Amino acid sequence: MYSHSDIQDAVEGGALTADQAASLRNFVARRSGTPTADEEPVRWLLGFNDYYCFISSFLLMIGIGWVGYKISGGRDAMWVAPLLVALACWGLGEIFGRMRRLALTAIGLAAVFVFAVMLTIVLLAVQLIGPNADRSTGQLVIAFAAAVAAGASFLHWKRFAEPVAVALGTGMVAIALMSLLNLVMPTDPDGTVGFVVLTLIGVATLVYAVIWDSKDVGRITKKNDVGFWLHYVAAWETTMGLGGLLGLTTAFGSPSQGAAIGGIVVFLVLALVGLVLDRRLWALFGAWLLGVSIHTLIKGEPAYSPYGGNGDYGNPYGSPYAMMGIGDSIDNVMLTLLIVGVLLVALGIFWTQIRRVVGALAGPLATRIPATRGEVGEGKAFE
């Protein structure tokens, strides 16, 4: 299995000419009926060996964490466990990332490494400060740990050039900023300010992602992968922020029907962003809000029932239990999944055709994103 970056490496190594590589990509595009860049090629799985090494490494990390826990003597120095995991991830990255150039394994090791670094700093601070620190101290510790993890992400990127490291570092910066926000604004009962800031961070990450996209419009180098993972982080941050503002991300409680309608509008906007930028992640993350919204509308607003809510005969004592639309049951969930599934599948089938219709909305970004028509031109080598 070969990725576009592998083909580009073959060009740099002299095994293929740039024209031959472009001809190969155009052949694949014509055969599939989809422009190559429109398929969003991402280097993330290079065969079952890659998957095997990923699972094996994951199991090994669990074992190393256990060894670290035993060495630390329980609660005395719990930071030893994530530190050993981080060091092991870096070492295995030398083998699976730099030498064997596996994709999924390198991605997993990078993610575990960054979060292990953050957890190491947090647990070390807990040991030094003590468990009775106030809330402000805790927020400072999290912000500092996230900042250190962002620095570790940068070092990982410089050493292994693993595209996901850039997104991980960006995500850690977001965590640090949100922790500092909680420090300066300890009272935000409904989380409105936090959700607004998270949405703005998501928009800023989106801009950064588009900058990376513009460096590889043909999507044939690692710059494309960096852009993909940045879009992943941006879509998550934006979706969580907007969903929180609408009250759709609450684990408990029933969103209002007005919020549900707002969630559908947000999905349409996010899907449009994905279509214009040719990044399906936006539609996929927005589908979560769409599902919550559709389920809320199907379920309906609570209403008083003089007959109660127990079966056809109701509650003999009478009670103001909710009559939830067609019933708050598993059927609601299945119907929601059916509707969302149909919409997403239709969007996937006609993605390229819809992009050609909405392509004019790109405006000045038209030269920085994949074209809606045409074949693949010669790509530039990754720097």
Side-chain angles (χ1 to χ4, degrees):
M1 183 181 296
Y2 306 101
S3 65
H4 285 290
S5 59
D6 291 329
I7 296 175
Q8 188 61 34
D9 290 341
V11 173
E12 297 175 19
L16 291 173
T17 65
D19 290 339
Q20 289 173 332
S23 178
L24 174 60
R25 295 188 183 100
N26 287 328
F27 168 76
V28 174
R30 286 191 299 268
R31 185 179 63 178
S32 63
T34 305
T36 303
D38 222 22
E39 294 179 337
E40 289 193 78
V42 180
R43 188 176 182 273
W44 72 320
L45 181 62
L46 300 181
F48 189 77
N49 175 60
D50 193 358
Y51 180 74
Y52 170 86
C53 293
F54 169 76
I55 296 297
S56 302
S57 299
F58 180 76
L59 296 176
L60 179 59
M61 292 307 110
I62 295 176
I64 290 177
W66 172 78
V67 172
Y69 175 78
K70 289 297 184 180
I71 293 176
S72 67
R75 296 184 178 182
D76 294 334
M78 293 186 66
W79 55 270
V80 174
L83 177 61
L84 291 181
V85 170
L87 293 175
C89 286
W90 187 280
L92 289 179
E94 294 286 347
I95 300 173
F96 293 131
R98 296 195 75 222
M99 296 174 57
R100 301 186 61 179
R101 303 189 63 186
L102 297 181
L104 180 62
T105 307
I107 292 170
L109 290 173
V112 174
F113 167 75
V114 172
F115 282 99
V117 169
M118 179 179 177
L119 185 58
T120 300
I121 300 300
V122 170
L123 294 179
L124 181 58
V126 169
Q127 181 181 0
L128 296 177
I129 300 174
N132 297 321
D134 58 15
R135 181 179 180 277
S136 298
T137 302
Q139 294 298 333
L140 278 175
V141 168
I142 294 176
F144 178 73
V148 173
S153 301
F154 176 76
L155 294 177
H156 194 283
W157 162 251
K158 299 302 292 184
R159 176 61 177 174
F160 302 104
E162 182 57 45
V164 75
V166 179
L168 288 169
T170 305
M172 286 297 159
V173 171
I175 292 175
L177 292 176
M178 294 302 295
S179 297
L180 291 176
L181 175 66
N182 291 331
L183 177 64
V184 299
M185 289 194 61
T187 56
D188 186 15
D190 55 358
T192 300
V193 176
F195 287 129
V196 169
V197 172
L198 184 60
T199 302
L200 294 176
I201 292 175
V203 173
T205 306
L206 169 61
V207 173
Y208 189 40
V210 172
I211 292 175
W212 275 94
D213 283 345
S214 65
K215 298 178 181 180
D216 181 18
V217 178
R219 295 184 174 174
I220 58 178
T221 69
K222 284 186 177 180
K223 295 184 180 73
N224 165 60
D225 287 13
V226 173
F228 171 83
W229 291 113
L230 284 172
H231 277 286
Y232 188 100
V233 174
W236 187 90
E237 293 168 343
T238 306
T239 303
M240 288 296 296
L242 293 176
L245 288 174
L246 291 171
L248 297 175
T249 58
T250 306
F252 302 98
S254 298
S256 67
Q257 291 198 356
I261 295 174
I264 294 176
V265 173
V266 169
F267 165 75
L268 293 176
V269 172
L270 295 181
L272 186 61
V273 170
L275 285 163
V276 172
L277 300 180
D278 199 14
R279 289 298 186 185
R280 292 164 177 81
L281 279 169
W282 289 92
L284 196 59
F285 275 89
W288 171 56
L289 296 182
L290 176 66
V292 175
S293 300
I294 291 177
H295 181 265
T296 299
L297 293 177
I298 292 174
K299 188 173 63 173
E301 292 277 14
Y304 176 78
S305 169
Y307 303 103
N310 298 332
D312 295 334
Y313 301 100
N315 188 332
Y317 301 101
S319 62
Y321 291 149
M323 294 184 66
M324 309 293 280
I326 63 172
D328 189 13
S329 64
I330 191 65
D331 291 339
N332 288 358
V333 177
M334 294 299 105
L335 180 58
T336 300
L337 293 178
L338 176 64
I339 296 174
V340 174
V342 168
L343 290 175
L344 291 182
V345 169
L347 191 60
I349 293 174
F350 300 105
W351 183 270
T352 301
Q353 291 82 352
I354 299 176
R355 282 201 71 227
R356 290 169 181 167
V357 175
V358 303
L361 298 176
L365 293 176
T367 59
R368 297 176 175 270
I369 58 179
T372 55
R373 301 176 185 273
E375 295 184 337
V376 181
E378 179 179 342
K380 295 181 180 180
F382 176 71
E383 299 175 356

